Amino acid sequence: MAHRVQASIDLKALQHNFSIARSRAKASHIAAIIKANAYGHGLEHSALALNDADLFGVTDVHEALALKNTGISKPILVLQGLIHADELQLIVEHNFELVVHSSSQLTMIDEALSKITIKKPLTFWLKMDTGMGRLGIEPNGFATTYKALLGRPYTGAVNMMTHLANSSIPDSALNLQQLKAFREVEAQLEDESPVTSIPSSSGILSDLPLSCDWARPGIMLYGSSPFNYELEHLRRDKFDLQAVMTLQARIIAIRDLKQGDNVGYCSQYICPKDMRVGIVSIGYADGYPSNAPNDTPVLVAGKHTGTVGRVSMDMLGVDLSEIPEASVGDLATLWGQDLSLDEVAAKTGILSYNLTCSVARRVSFKYL
Ligand SMILES: Cc1ncc(COP(=O)(O)O)c(C=O)c1O
């Protein structure tokens, strides 16, 4: 049975984008970031398709367990680390790798692991806050903490990582400041020669000198450029990234409206001329952004047009005046290979990450 709204997930495109990350990263290992249900694309299908990844990054132990339950045998890294001590039992059982970003997490790990028998030593990723101002241990004192963690009986390895706040703004001075702070501590740990990890997608796609052991691409795998859409030379096609998700919905009515007629709630659109308006069966309850302004791009019958009127819970209007061949039952494309998710993100002011993560559970997913 045909669905009202469908998200088609192109797993070949996902694999292609992974190969771009692999070839561009100045790193020998790639941690594919598939947290948040693979940014809304589906955890299990994405993980199976990303068979060339060296490790998978997820947010918390619950996501790690869901991934493990799919039968995946690759290492899994829990990016927020330990949130509650009772998670350690599972972490030990499945040998999940853990980010450690604060001294309170270290204390919790120490206390909990003194009560658990470890069969296999754990791998930790000690995170440094070099200027992101979010998670991480200060550079000052990091080396001491690193050595202390490495010396614990339950520790197998300690990698060192940081996250850049502005790598999507390539000329931001903060990038090099963060890198300098990281490199200084790396030099202090010369004798331990820690495995290092710095860039996410924007760092991988930038020219910044971010060579290290592990890169951590997320959004680029899903075919979105992390850079400002205004910067044409940094759009997804310039990196040969392919759209993974195509979001489509059916036209369920076509109206011939007159100049001055209202379309939808709160008169966000009044027809400036006589118009042919299609009503598409997708709304904010399907994950389409409710703040989309008039003329947010939509593709119908291969032609670019735009929304008219406020997005409703399950519907939105599109201008079909220049697309006479469009008829009820046709699919409208909200984003995909021929209509960039990044263009919709720029028009709505909603991050591409947010758009794909928001696609609702009631939408029918199809894997190609
Ligand atoms: C620590 C860390 N590494 C990597 C990523 C992936 O970032 P992106 O999706 O921008 O590539 C994220 C995403 O939030 C992250 O938090």
Side-chain angles (χ1 to χ4, degrees), residues 14-28:
L14 184 65
Q15 290 168 335
H16 167 85
N17 297 337
F18 180 86
S19 73
I20 303 277
R22 173 79 79 194
S23 65
R24 292 195 73 110
K26 300 173 194 79
S28 48

Side-chain angles (χ1 to χ4, degrees), residues 249-257 263 269 271-281 295-309 316-334:
R250 303 247 161 225
I251 299 173
I252 55 168
I254 294 183
R255 307 291 310 283
D256 289 309
L257 299 180
V263 181
Y269 193 83
C271 297
K273 55 182 171 56
D274 292 357
M275 290 178 69
R276 191 165 179 257
V277 169
I279 305 302
V280 181
S281 182
D295 207 28
T296 299
V298 178
L299 205 60
V300 176
K303 292 184 181 160
H304 287 257
T305 181
T307 59
V308 290
L316 53 79
V318 291
D319 183 1
L320 297 179
S321 304
E322 305 300 323
I323 313 178
E325 66 273 35
S327 52
V328 168
D330 286 357
L331 284 172
T333 300
L334 291 313

Side-chain angles (χ1 to χ4, degrees), residues 9 11 14 32-50 56-59 63 66-67 217-223 244-245 341 352-359 365 367:
I9 308 296
L11 296 172
L14 184 65
I33 304 302
I34 56 169
K35 60 182 178 164
N37 194 29
Y39 290 37
H41 292 72
L43 182 70
E44 181 170 1
H45 286 92
S46 302
L48 287 170
L50 290 169
F56 291 124
V58 295
T59 301
E63 289 187 356
L67 184 55
I219 195 70
M220 68 176 291
L221 301 178
Y222 308 104
V244 175
M245 181 188 289
L341 171 69
S352 59
Y353 301 70
N354 193 332
L355 291 175
T356 58
C357 282
S358 299
V359 173
F365 276 68
Y367 290 88

